[in-house]
Amino acid sequence: MLLNVEKTTHANFDGYIEALKRLVRIPSISFDNFDQKFVQQSAEAVKAMFEEAGLKNVQLLLPPSGRATVYAESLTSPDKPTILLYAHHDVQPTMREALWNSAPFEPEIRGDRIYGRGTADDKAGIITHLAAFKQARELLGDKGPNLKFIIEGEEESGSAGFAEILREHAKLLKCDAVIVADLGNFAKGTPSITTTLRGMSAVNITLRSTKTPLHSGSWSGPIPDPAQALCRMIASLTDEHGNIAIPNFEDGLVPPTPEELESYRSLGYSEKTFRSESGVLNKVSLTVPEGEILESLWRRPSIVVTAMESGNRSSAGNVLQDCAYARIGIRLAPGMNADRCSQMLVDFLKAQVPNGLEFTAEIEDGANPFVTDTQHPFFRKMSEAMAQAYKNDTKFIGCGASIPGAELFRKTFGDIPILLTGLEDPECAAHGENESLYLPDFEAGIVAETLFFMSLA
Ligand SMILES: [Zn+2]
């Protein structure tokens, strides 16, 4: 069986790469200040691929944002389990385009990787699902599981409408398990299933002292500087070791079990690897010891200032600025709640505003953290399929990032297995410049998902 699947995948792999390229060429950035016609174009392209592959009931589901999610299905028998296959067709902006070695939306293969925005995150996820479906159908006929595809159009911009889609179409999407192909492998060639995700939230804070910027010579001294005031407030969020100082902020946090800690340790992750993968400067010391790096990334909260502004560098002059702005991002560990934590952070900052400065806070839509129970037999089947395909042990890992969809699936379908797989790896630069996909893992990922479908026949 393995040999058959490997042969089929290998024979068709060039075609899968071509299909991936077709999707990557569409700049489907789902942020408001980019042209949303490309998100529509990308949804149409996925829809056309699904139709061409013979999937049924192919349709676009439209959330209020208008960023279409694509649905399709292949139903074999009511006696067979139904697997919902999730990926997303929207992408992040390109960041600093000058740093790309090839045009972000003109996919290019260099060595064993293909470069382009959306190659790894998450257009490879779409092609993996589609390829595995085609291959399982070729090898099994209609003896395979029922498959339903749900390819989201606004994952990168917060999934606000996706919750509504799940609510509205819960019946259409009903399933026994979900494969979310939007995560990644712990390392190249190390097949991984993610069992926890951090949540996220962000608040936008503005602190204002005057109606307009003022000549600093004529006015500074008596009037408090909003930039310094905001910096002091932000600095109070954590102590000198990086621990969060907001009282009760971590209430409810679910610590990793001894088994989970053991599994993290079995990955043998060193500070050296972490340093080289993250690019942290040599002289910069970390806030945790080597043995706690993964736990810190996956199971503890963090607060970072994602943007700050007061005046701007290109027109800096001798000015007392009228206001200062910061966007503060929170990563939440499993057990914590996004709404509660963002409100606590705002209240904590507000209580410290000096000199009666005007304080405004805007809380963005957050995503709750996610944790799944790996006891269901599907986890074993997937883990075995991946081990066979990659010819390497499958690891259960955590992830420091957020996928709002995972928790939404949990809410919609109850306690069914949610398998978080995917093709990112530490070199893939998802969300950064020169995003890429490691081609041998792309191929192994398709083999693995095909084998998983066959194990359900
Ligand atoms: Zn993604």
Side-chain angles (χ1 to χ4, degrees):
M1 189 158 88
L2 173 63
L3 208 64
N4 261 343
V5 177
E6 281 177 338
K7 265 194 198 150
T8 310
T9 307
H10 201 68
N12 291 297
F13 194 53
D14 285 347
Y16 300 148
I17 292 176
E18 280 314 307
L20 175 65
K21 284 182 175 174
R22 240 182 293 155
L23 294 183
V24 172
R25 287 195 184 102
I26 306 167
S28 50
I29 302 167
S30 62
F31 283 47
D32 282 335
N33 43 344
F34 290 82
D35 194 340
Q36 294 305 292
K37 79 166 185 247
F38 295 114
V39 176
Q40 180 66 20
Q41 238 177 58
S42 144
E44 302 280 358
V46 173
K47 181 169 176 269
M49 276 183 191
F50 285 175
E51 281 164 347
E52 197 189 333
L55 283 162
K56 297 288 185 305
N57 199 10
V58 187
Q59 51 180 295
L60 299 185
L61 309 178
L62 280 178
S65 71
R67 295 171 185 125
T69 283
V70 190
Y71 175 82
E73 63 190 23
S74 157
L75 304 182
T76 50
S77 152
D79 305 331
K80 294 273 187 317
T82 301
I83 314 296
L84 184 66
L85 306 173
Y86 171 91
H88 62 87
H89 67 86
D90 64 316
V91 297
Q92 283 277 326
T94 54
M95 307 296 288
R96 295 160 296 180
E97 228 162 293
L99 296 188
W100 283 76
N101 296 320
S102 53
F105 297 108
E106 191 39 63
E108 184 177 292
I109 296 179
R110 298 196 293 275
D112 50 17
R113 305 189 74 94
I114 181 166
Y115 291 79
R117 172 59 84 229
T119 47
D121 183 15
D122 179 31
K123 288 172 173 172
I126 305 172
I127 304 299
T128 302
H129 290 324
L130 182 61
F133 150 72
K134 285 194 202 173
Q135 299 187 165
R137 183 184 52 187
E138 193 181 312
L139 297 162
L140 292 170
D142 57 5
K143 293 191 183 62
N146 301 297
L147 298 177
K148 294 178 175 178
F149 292 73
I150 182 98
I151 310 298
E152 190 188 348
E154 55 184 359
E155 195 276 339
E156 301 293 5
S157 52
S159 292
F162 194 60
E164 255 164 81
I165 288 182
L166 289 183
R167 238 187 336 252
E168 203 176 312
H169 302 279
K171 226 168 146 191
L172 177 72
L173 301 171
K174 194 174 162 14
C175 57
D176 302 300
V178 189
I179 301 178
V180 176
D182 190 22
L183 277 292
N185 292 324
F186 185 72
K188 279 194 301 195
T190 302
S192 311
I193 301 175
T194 303
T195 60
T196 61
L197 297 169
R198 284 200 294 191
M200 70 177 260
S201 173
V203 299
N204 292 275
I205 304 289
T206 308
L207 206 56
R208 176 178 289 278
S209 57
T210 57
K211 292 185 181 114
T212 55
L214 297 171
H215 187 299
S216 62
S218 312
W219 300 100
S220 73
I223 302 173
D225 174 8
Q228 292 181 56
L230 184 59
C231 286
R232 264 196 296 272
M233 287 160 58
I234 291 173
S236 74
L237 290 170
T238 50
D239 69 15
E240 70 272 30
H241 307 293
N243 298 312
I244 294 170
I246 305 170
N248 305 317
F249 193 70
E250 295 177 26
D251 285 1
L253 185 142
V254 178
T257 62
E259 292 76 29
E260 282 173 314
L261 282 178
E262 182 47 43
S263 142
Y264 299 170
R265 266 191 282 276
S266 79
L267 295 162
Y269 194 58
S270 67
E271 179 167 338
K272 189 163 167 267
T273 310
F274 176 74
R275 283 181 171 278
S276 100
E277 286 176 354
S278 65
V280 63
L281 302 182
N282 284 337
K283 284 185 179 163
V284 174
S285 62
L286 303 183
T287 58
V288 294
E290 183 173 49
E292 291 178 29
I293 293 174
L294 292 179
E295 198 186 336
S296 169
L297 289 172
W298 296 342
R299 304 303 292 264
R300 291 182 198 158
S302 73
I303 290 179
V304 291
V305 177
T306 62
M308 275 180 102
E309 204 173 77
S310 191
N312 75 67
R313 191 169 172 168
S314 58
S315 62
N318 299 318
V319 171
L320 169 61
Q321 294 296 342
D322 54 338
C323 67
Y325 157 86
R327 181 177 180 276
I328 302 169
I330 312 169
R331 292 288 172 175
L332 303 136
M336 298 171 74
N337 176 280
D339 293 342
R340 177 180 170 272
C341 289
S342 7
Q343 192 58 54
M344 285 178 97
L345 186 138
V346 168
D347 293 345
F348 185 78
L349 290 177
K350 198 173 178 181
Q352 301 181 60
V353 174
N355 301 82
L357 268 64
E358 182 184 285
F359 172 91
T360 49
E362 178 215 326
I363 298 178
E364 296 180 18
D365 281 337
N368 282 323
F370 169 85
V371 54
T372 185
D373 176 10
T374 55
Q375 294 310 305
H376 192 280
F378 283 4
F379 277 92
R380 186 179 42 80
K381 283 180 190 287
M382 180 59 97
S383 144
E384 283 170 5
M386 290 171 94
Q388 280 189 308
Y390 284 81
K391 306 193 186 331
N392 196 355
D393 286 346
T394 302
K395 299 288 184 186
F396 289 105
I397 61 173
C399 172
S402 310
I403 302 198
E407 187 55 22
L408 293 174
F409 287 130
R410 158 70 38 78
K411 257 196 210 144
T412 311
F413 303 118
D415 205 11
I416 59 170
I418 296 171
L419 299 143
L420 307 180
T421 65
L423 293 162
E424 292 178 18
D425 65 27
E427 286 169 53
C428 75
H431 296 205
E433 293 96 7
N434 297 303
E435 177 179 347
S436 68
L437 168 73
Y438 181 54
L439 291 168
D441 283 358
F442 185 29
E443 190 168 343
I446 294 169
V447 172
E449 200 165 301
T450 312
L451 289 173
F452 175 71
F453 294 159
M454 294 179 77
S455 77
L456 302 178

